Amino acid sequence: MKPTNDELDDLLAPMREALRADGADVQVVDWDEHRLSMRLVLESVDCEECVLPRESLEQTMLAMLRPGYAGLRDVRLSDPREPESGSA
């Protein structure tokens, strides 16, 4: 079942907290019962290379979110460090 906006915000809080420690954040673009699409925000990052690569972030988010978002099968992250990832 698709979480509500508030439930999704609560599920994302630990990941957002970790990203904010490096000056990054994520924005939800879209989600349904099985897929979450997000955008990585690096506007206040001093060291872009210090933020995990897209693939690692996607895997970490999937592992962190699955316990509270039972139907989640896929996390897609648009990463501004990869111009082509925004068109996927």
Side-chain angles (χ1 to χ4, degrees):
M1 186 164 90
K2 178 180 173 179
T4 65
N5 290 348
D6 289 339
E7 290 169 337
L8 185 58
D9 284 343
D10 288 345
L11 291 169
L12 289 170
M15 185 58 148
R16 294 180 100 177
E17 198 173 308
L19 286 167
R20 287 177 180 155
D22 288 327
D25 199 359
V26 287
Q27 295 175 336
V28 175
V29 174
D30 191 26
W31 80 100
D32 60 30
E33 290 184 32
H34 305 292
R35 184 176 188 179
L36 174 64
S37 297
M38 304 182 72
R39 177 180 306 114
L40 182 63
V41 179
L42 300 172
E43 291 171 2
S44 61
V45 171
D46 292 328
C47 172
E48 287 186 6
E49 296 80 27
C50 298
V51 177
L52 288 172
R54 178 187 51 80
E55 297 88 357
S56 296
L57 285 170
E58 289 173 339
Q59 292 171 4
T60 301
M61 287 182 190
L62 184 60
M64 289 179 74
L65 293 172
R66 265 194 175 151
Y69 190 157
L72 186 63
R73 295 184 191 142
D74 187 34
V75 172
R76 296 290 170 110
L77 184 67
S78 175
D79 187 334
R81 299 172 294 183
E82 301 175 0
E84 68 279 357
S85 73
S87 61

